[in-house]
């Protein structure tokens, strides 16, 4: 925190030993303000750092946190507004406060904007109302009641505590109507239920018998948990090698010691199957946290975490900001996933910030991946992280056999996207009664629609992007802003009818082709358009496990987390897709995603096969996937990054200028260029129009700071932005360690 003055210039109040002025505290509010504001503490209130309070701001009253560090002292004591109330919630821990400051500093965000993520559930800041239940009325005699009512009375005589009506009905073996009738008759009286205060029992699950390599890795992680103290470990090994089983042992160790464990997953991997693994291992469901957890469930979960009743939390990146009082371990599964990067608002990378939170909490972190990011591998090389490696798949399952289909030699027929060798492989697989998966990371029917008569292309009115045809919904959609319009009967440009033509495939189009080509095939189309929430995913998983599906056609959504024993063939419709665009990590990311989706093949006793359709079979990514020589691919990528000074050997920060007015965006970008710092060890590239130069009606320009690792990027950026005056109608966003360059 900024150091305040030692004496209040107006009030002249004395400071205590800890640097805090009596009767005055800094309070951080969940708003994008420069820092905490001072408030007066009413006589007799205990407002130590971390206390959750409400405080007035303007005409409003807001929840906030009594912050650590010194009060600012700038406002005279007489003018200071008092705190409104102390909130009945557990105080924020010192490590979490330090973490919030740290994230704010790293991302150049106001600390209040980060606090907002930690206080994302205002309803949880007060204890939930106690739910109504019933108890036995005074003087009620079971013997005088008819049998079903007597059973209820007997249960209550044995356990004379408040019961929820549904629980009581179940315990007594009667319908809820009986309970209701007894209440109406005055035999049962209302009584409030106690609050949930129990930490669930996690001892009912079944630990697996680990292989020697798994057991060694698990022992090492358990030891790190027992030892405590910070330190990160990379746990890597091919898909199916038992990494999950191994890190669950570390989780078991943490919870056995009465501490809490946080497991971060990329949101799309929060499938029912993953949750089921936790249930199996611990006998009960973990607490789950992601954007779809809403309402009372969200409130209860936040509260359970804050009160230490949630031993295991499995969550998406935002779970990093939950108020664990006694965190003992953080696991980041699929650590290489770009979904861990938040792009909007506070632009943070959850994997990196997980390492920070673990460090500040002084606990171990485990990063898990079959295809670790170069960032993590570089940290292993530097000796910052330990590495545990699982060499082979568990049980009899071997690695799938990966081959390429050279589209130059065997192209698909016109208007088709499945080349003859892939079609043959699918036919053979289905004939054996096994399942196949076709992967194409593109939603909808076709990514572009054009008019054959005049060449008109359907573009989003708000974005520099084509509209994607969704044939089931009969509409054209922008995948960036959500704009949608019906597919018109004629070309809006030239009026020609029947002239609109789809260009290129999405999963819907692949499904249509397969329906035509493979008679009677039962297809499951899996994308965010067809799968809604965990229940939707579970529904598909069950269908596939029960073999009610022959062919799965899916986007990124099917690439990970799933385990389908009868799936033996994976076909990648367009293996080159991710290589287009040429962003820094295109090759790395393509390799990761294709390796991951290929890993879905042959996870049980049947051998798996992966076929990659590509126009460039000699590309390093294809060669690495076919040969399985991952180390060589990684070494080459590393060398290229090192030579170019790119991450993980150099640092990047993007500045994105946006405005509804293109000229204003240009003006702001030029202003930044004009004040750009100069010096050794860094360069500023741009401004240039962003690849998505118009997004949601905002004109966007980008500048990129490229620096060597020794440069204090935050200081440089902070100073630069402070020196620059940009038009008010322009908005400046900073993205430190950017993942997306759109
Ligand atoms: P990874 O996380 O490396 O992809 P998993 O932990 O998901 O691997 O293991 C792959 C499959 O093998 C899972 O179904 C898992 O339950 C099973 N498996 C792994 N190790 C064992 C073991 N020691 N005993 C029984 N089953 C195991
Ligand atoms: Zn759009």
């Amino acid at each position: 925190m900024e150091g305040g003055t030692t004496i209040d210039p107006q009030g002249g109040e004395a400071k205590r030993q800890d640097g805090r002025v009596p009767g005055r505290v800094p309070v951080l509010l969940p708003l994008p303000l420069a820092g905490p504001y001072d408030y007066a503490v009413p006589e007799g209130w205990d407002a130590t750092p971390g206390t959750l309070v409400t405080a007035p701001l303007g005409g409003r009253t807001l929840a906030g946190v009594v912050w650590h560090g010194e009060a600012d002292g700038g406002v005279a004591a007489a003018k200071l507004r008092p705190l409104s109330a102390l909130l009945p919630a557990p105080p924020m821990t010192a490590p979490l406060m330090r973490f919030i400051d740290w994230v704010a500093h790293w991302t150049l965000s106001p600390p209040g904007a980060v606090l907002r993520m930690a206080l994302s559930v205002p309803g949880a800041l007060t204890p939930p109302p106690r739910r109504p239940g019933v108890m036995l009325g005074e003087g009620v005699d079971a013997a005088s009641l008819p049998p079903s009512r007597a059973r209820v009375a007997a249960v209550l005589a044995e356990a004379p505590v408040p019961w929820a009506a549904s629980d009581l009905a179940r315990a007594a073996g009667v319908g809820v109507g009986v309970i209701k009738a007894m209440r109406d008759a005055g035999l049962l009286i209302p009584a409030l239920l106690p609050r949930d205060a129990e930490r669930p029992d996690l001892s009912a699950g079944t630990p697996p018998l680990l292989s020697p390599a798994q057991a060694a890795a698990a022992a090492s992680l358990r030891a790190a948990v027992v030892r405590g103290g910070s330190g990160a470990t990379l746990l890597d090994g091919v898909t199916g090698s038992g990494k999950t089983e191994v890190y669950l042992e570390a989780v078991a160790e943490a919870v056995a010691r009465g501490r809490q464990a946080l497991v971060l997953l990329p949101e799309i991997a929060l499938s029912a199957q993953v949750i089921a693994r936790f249930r199996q291992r611990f006998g009960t469901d973990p607490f789950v946290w992601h954007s779809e957890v809403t309402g009372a469930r969200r409130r209860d979960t936040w509260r359970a975490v804050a009160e230490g009743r949630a031993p295991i939390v499995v969550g998406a990146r935002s779970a990093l900001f939950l108020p664990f009082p006694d965190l003992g371990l953080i696991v980041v599964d699929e650590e290489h996933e770009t979904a861990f990067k938040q792009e909007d608002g506070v632009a943070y990378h959850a994997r990196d910030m997980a390492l920070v939170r673990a460090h500040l909490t002084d606990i171990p972190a485990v990063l898990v991946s079959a295809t670790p990011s170069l960032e993590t591998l570089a940290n292993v090389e530097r000796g910052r992280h330990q590495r545990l490696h699982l060499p082979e798949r568990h049980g009899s399952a071997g690695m799938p056999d990966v081959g390429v289909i050279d589209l130059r030699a065997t192209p698909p027929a016109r208007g088709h996207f499945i080349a003859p060798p892939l079609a043959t492989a699918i036919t053979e697989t289905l004939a054996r009664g096994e399942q196949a998966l076709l992967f194409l990371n593109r939603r909808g029917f076709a990514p572009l629609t054009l008019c054959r008569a005049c060449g008109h292309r359907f573009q989003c009115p708000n974005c520099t992007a084509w509209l994607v045809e969704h044939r089931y919904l009969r509409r054209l959609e922008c995948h960036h802003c959500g704009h949608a319009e019906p597919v018109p009967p004629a070309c809006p440009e030239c009026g020609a009818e029947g002239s609109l033509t789809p260009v290129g495939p999405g999963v819907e189009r692949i499904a249509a082709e397969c329906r035509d080509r493979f008679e009677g095939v039962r297809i499951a189309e899996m994308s965010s358009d067809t799968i809604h929430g965990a229940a939707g995913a579970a529904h598909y998983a069950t269908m596939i496990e029960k073999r009610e599906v022959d062919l799965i056609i899916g986007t990124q959504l099917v690439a990970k987390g799933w385990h389908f024993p009868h799936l033996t063939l994976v076909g990648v419709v367009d293996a080159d897709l991710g290589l287009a665009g040429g962003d820094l990590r295109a090759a790395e990311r393509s390799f990761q995603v294709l390796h991951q989706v290929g890993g879905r093949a042959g996870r049980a006793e049947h051998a798996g096969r992966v076929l990659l359709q590509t126009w460039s079979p000699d590309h390093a990514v294809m060669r690495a996937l076919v040969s399985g020589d991952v180390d060589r691919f990684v070494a080459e990528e590393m060398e290229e990054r090192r030579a170019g000074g790119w991450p993980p050997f150099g640092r990047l920060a993007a500045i994105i200028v946006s405005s509804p007015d293109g000229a204003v965006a240009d003006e702001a970008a030029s202003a930044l260029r004009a004040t750009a710092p100069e010096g050794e060890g860094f360069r500023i590239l741009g401004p240039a129009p962003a690849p998505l130069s118009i997004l949601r009606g905002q004109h966007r320009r980008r500048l990129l700071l490229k620096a060597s690792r020794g440069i204090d990027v935050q200081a440089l950026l902070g100073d630069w932005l402070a020196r620059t005056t940009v038009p008010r109608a322009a908005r400046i966003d900073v993205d430190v360690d950017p993942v997306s360059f759109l």
Side-chain angles (χ1 to χ4, degrees):
M1 293 306 307
E2 306 277 324
T5 47
T6 44
I7 302 277
D8 179 326
Q10 275 94 21
E13 291 156 286
K15 285 217 155 178
R16 289 194 317 227
Q17 203 62 34
D18 59 5
R20 295 177 83 89
V21 182
R24 174 192 286 255
V25 287
V27 172
L28 189 63
L29 298 169
L31 295 175
L33 307 166
Y37 283 2
D38 281 7
Y39 285 90
V41 181
E43 194 64 38
W45 287 24
D46 184 15
T48 49
T51 305
L52 274 73
V53 297
T54 54
L57 185 76
R60 296 192 284 167
T61 302
L62 292 165
V65 180
V66 177
W67 214 237
H68 54 184
E70 301 176 3
D72 175 51
V75 179
K79 288 203 182 148
L80 217 53
R81 299 180 75 178
L83 295 174
S84 309
L86 300 175
L87 286 169
M92 185 172 279
T93 60
L96 182 51
M97 286 193 278
R98 272 185 280 143
F99 179 59
I100 288 169
D101 283 339
W102 208 100
V103 174
H105 170 77
W106 187 259
T107 60
L108 281 100
S109 307
V114 183
L115 176 68
R116 197 179 172 132
M117 300 193 285
L119 296 184
S120 64
V121 201
L125 301 179
T126 48
R130 288 169 60 187
R131 287 184 300 134
V134 291
M135 282 182 79
L136 201 57
E138 212 142 312
V140 175
D141 177 13
S144 66
L145 298 170
S148 59
R149 292 183 175 201
R151 281 213 297 280
V152 173
V155 168
L156 287 170
E158 208 182 331
V161 292
W163 281 75
S166 54
D167 290 347
L168 181 56
R170 200 170 332 118
V174 302
V176 188
V178 175
I179 311 292
K180 208 163 163 280
M182 289 177 75
R183 196 172 47 204
D184 292 345
L187 296 167
L188 299 179
I189 55 171
L192 291 176
L193 297 175
R195 296 203 171 87
D196 297 340
E198 301 275 298
R199 186 180 153 107
D201 175 20
L202 300 180
S203 58
T206 41
L209 195 63
L210 298 177
S211 71
Q214 292 173 341
S220 173
L221 293 182
R222 277 183 178 270
V225 171
V226 172
R227 226 174 21 245
S230 63
T233 304
L234 164 65
L235 172 62
D236 75 340
V238 294
T239 50
S241 56
K243 297 183 297 296
T244 310
E245 299 294 350
V246 169
Y247 78 65
L248 288 177
E249 292 311 298
V251 169
E253 187 66 52
V255 300
R257 294 181 171 260
R259 307 194 68 181
Q260 295 170 292
L262 168 62
V263 178
L264 291 180
L265 294 171
E267 183 127 17
I268 41 177
L270 277 173
S271 72
Q273 283 193 328
V274 176
I275 308 300
R277 294 284 292 274
F278 281 81
R279 189 184 313 127
Q280 197 177 8
R281 177 62 184 80
F282 297 102
T284 175
D285 278 2
F287 286 76
V288 173
W289 187 264
H290 52 84
S291 57
E292 280 170 34
V293 176
T294 53
R297 170 63 69 81
R298 192 171 184 82
R299 221 168 45 227
D300 293 350
T301 303
W302 195 94
R303 194 86 194 170
V305 172
E307 291 174 359
R309 289 183 282 110
I312 304 176
V313 176
V314 178
R317 59 190 181 218
S318 57
L320 209 45
F321 294 91
L322 284 171
F324 299 93
D326 194 14
L327 197 54
L329 172 72
I330 305 180
V331 177
V332 184
D333 197 357
E334 316 281 10
E335 67 86 24
H336 62 276
E337 270 293 326
T338 51
F340 281 124
K341 180 68 193 277
Q342 167 148 312
E343 306 281 354
D344 301 329
V346 179
Y348 69 95
H349 199 303
R351 179 239 295 140
D352 298 346
M353 295 307 117
L355 294 172
V356 172
R357 184 152 190 192
H359 182 77
L360 294 173
T361 316
D362 207 25
I363 57 169
V366 184
L367 306 180
V368 184
S369 176
T371 51
S373 63
L374 295 197
E375 276 74 9
T376 295
L377 289 170
N379 277 328
V380 171
E381 254 179 43
R382 291 179 191 122
R384 286 229 199 137
H385 299 351
Q386 245 211 84
R387 178 180 192 177
L388 295 170
H389 182 70
L390 299 179
E392 58 199 18
R393 278 195 160 181
H394 173 76
S396 56
M399 286 309 286
D401 176 35
V402 184
V404 293
I405 294 173
D406 184 346
L407 292 176
R408 295 168 310 184
T410 53
R414 240 183 98 112
H416 285 64
F417 302 93
I418 296 170
L422 180 55
T424 307
I426 295 171
T427 308
E428 287 168 1
T429 304
L430 301 184
R432 282 195 303 270
E434 296 167 0
Q435 294 167 323
L437 163 71
L438 292 180
F439 171 73
L440 176 63
N441 203 18
R442 255 192 194 151
R443 292 163 49 208
F445 188 84
L448 167 64
T449 302
L450 62 72
C451 169
R452 245 179 298 125
C454 74
H456 174 75
R457 289 151 191 242
F458 286 81
Q459 190 168 350
C460 176
N462 315 315
C463 305
T464 325
W466 306 126
L467 293 177
V468 177
E469 182 187 355
H470 285 253
R471 193 156 281 192
Y472 300 134
L473 300 170
R474 298 207 185 135
R475 62 184 196 198
L476 299 163
E477 274 183 16
C478 172
H479 287 178
H480 298 286
C481 72
H483 169 86
E485 53 188 67
V487 180
C491 173
E493 190 71 27
C494 69
E497 282 180 37
S499 68
L500 302 183
T501 310
V503 180
V507 279
E508 285 183 16
R509 196 166 185 189
I510 299 301
E513 180 177 335
C514 289
R515 263 184 219 105
D516 282 350
R517 290 177 81 148
F518 309 108
E519 219 188 297
V521 66
R522 297 168 301 172
I523 294 178
E525 268 184 69
M526 296 171 70
S527 73
S528 55
D529 295 311
T530 56
I531 297 186
H532 303 287
H539 169 72
Y540 274 91
T542 310
M543 274 193 338
I544 295 165
E545 276 159 18
K546 286 179 155 167
R547 306 172 91 162
E548 292 165 7
V549 165
D550 308 307
L551 183 56
I552 303 160
I553 299 174
T555 60
Q556 184 112 347
L557 210 74
V558 299
K560 56 193 58 86
W562 305 88
H563 174 66
F564 299 127
H566 308 291
L567 179 64
T568 56
L569 173 69
V570 169
V572 175
V573 176
D574 184 353
D576 309 326
L577 189 59
L579 295 170
D583 114 24
L584 155 74
R585 297 186 182 85
E588 179 190 357
R589 225 179 276 159
S590 268
F591 175 77
Q592 287 162 344
V593 109
L594 297 180
H595 181 88
Q596 196 95 39
V597 71
R600 300 309 104 195
R603 284 173 58 96
E605 62 272 25
H606 309 284
R609 189 168 174 210
V610 181
L611 289 172
L612 308 166
Q613 295 198 135
T614 174
W615 296 98
S616 40
D618 298 326
H619 193 284
V621 168
M622 308 310 152
R623 281 194 284 123
L625 289 163
V626 170
S627 67
D629 192 349
V630 180
D631 292 345
R632 180 166 152 201
F633 172 73
V634 166
E636 285 171 5
E637 270 296 298
M638 284 278 197
E639 205 31 60
E640 256 177 56
R641 303 273 188 93
R642 198 189 313 261
W646 298 104
F649 303 100
R651 303 194 43 201
L652 296 179
I655 296 186
I656 302 121
V657 180
S658 53
S659 170
D661 181 340
V664 172
D666 282 332
E667 193 187 325
S670 316
L672 281 162
R673 178 74 249 180
T675 55
E678 279 174 39
E680 283 287 299
F682 67 89
R683 277 167 65 198
I684 285 153
L685 313 171
L692 264 169
S693 65
I694 308 174
L695 178 64
R696 297 183 201 98
Q698 298 288 317
H699 293 253
R700 302 160 77 243
R701 309 286 180 266
R702 292 183 71 106
L703 294 105
L704 189 66
L705 165 65
K706 183 171 181 235
S708 60
R709 281 172 48 82
I711 298 286
D712 183 344
V713 165
Q714 281 76 15
L716 204 75
L717 289 169
D719 172 64
W720 179 15
L721 295 175
R723 284 188 288 110
T724 312
T725 314
V726 295
R728 285 184 68 85
R731 180 192 157 107
I732 309 291
D733 288 296
V734 178
D735 184 356
V736 176
D737 305 331
V739 162
S740 162
F741 296 87
L742 296 176

